[in-house]
Amino acid sequence: MNVDLYEKIWMAAAAALIAVFLLAIIVAAGAYAVQPPSHVEIIDPTTVYDHPEFGAPGVETRPDGSVVVTVVAEMFFFDPDPIEVPAGRPVTFRLTSPDVIHGFEVVGTNANAMVIPGYVSEFTTTFAKPGEYMVVCHEYCGMLHHNMGATLVVQEATE
Ligand code: CUA
């Protein structure tokens, strides 16, 4: 079979591009811990405010020292705001929405999730550096999407 030189070049270029994309996924997952969420938990979006956990969102410290942050994302704010967590300890975020799809991203960190009505999004991360971080909604959710944000305060470890 005779394959034209130009065709060979394009075939090689396409194969190289696929290799680069695969490598990017492997590097992102391996070196930067960028992974798809794997937690599936459902919640009735119409009763979020009466839910024992999401009815009173906030920050809770477990006996083992780990921290759980329950957040409700709705048009067009996050509750609680500000969110205060300690540095250097695992922080588990649990998020849901009573209205539409929102996003939850802590700028400059790997904390990033979609917040989908009917589901609880959960991920755990550790913030090494104390300081104030900006939280943004990164899923278009309506007229004031661009205003939807919060502040995450990472406090210096006390012990
Ligand atoms: Cu909430 Cu965009």
Side-chain angles (χ1 to χ4, degrees):
M1 188 179 68
N2 177 46
V3 180
D4 194 71
L5 177 63
Y6 281 128
E7 200 161 347
K8 277 184 186 155
I9 291 170
W10 281 108
M11 282 160 70
L17 204 58
I18 290 168
V20 167
F21 287 164
L22 280 176
L23 197 67
I25 292 171
I26 291 163
V27 169
Y32 297 102
V34 176
Q35 285 150 6
S38 55
H39 178 80
V40 177
E41 182 181 340
I42 56 170
I43 181 172
D44 180 354
T46 60
T47 59
V48 165
Y49 305 112
D50 302 321
H51 189 271
E53 183 185 0
F54 288 97
V59 181
E60 187 199 326
T61 305
R62 285 178 176 158
D64 66 359
S66 64
V67 175
V68 180
V69 184
T70 305
V71 180
V72 174
E74 60 179 294
M75 291 183 225
F76 295 96
F77 59 91
F78 295 98
D79 184 14
D81 178 18
I83 301 166
E84 294 179 8
V85 297
R89 270 202 263 165
V91 178
T92 298
F93 286 88
R94 290 174 51 76
L95 312 123
T96 197
S97 162
D99 44 43
V100 299
I101 293 178
H102 297 278
F104 182 92
E105 179 181 4
V106 182
V107 177
T109 73
N110 71 346
N112 186 334
M114 280 175 82
V115 189
I116 304 165
Y119 292 87
V120 175
S121 304
E122 182 178 307
F123 65 90
T124 301
T125 190
T126 302
F127 300 100
K129 267 192 242 146
E132 271 195 22
Y133 294 79
M134 186 163 68
V135 178
V136 295
C137 173
H138 58 65
E139 294 287 342
Y140 182 74
C141 54
M143 287 286 283
L144 296 176
H145 159 72
H146 61 285
N147 280 351
M148 185 167 170
T151 303
L152 176 85
V153 182
V154 178
Q155 286 156 338
E156 202 91 46
T158 43
E159 15 359 337

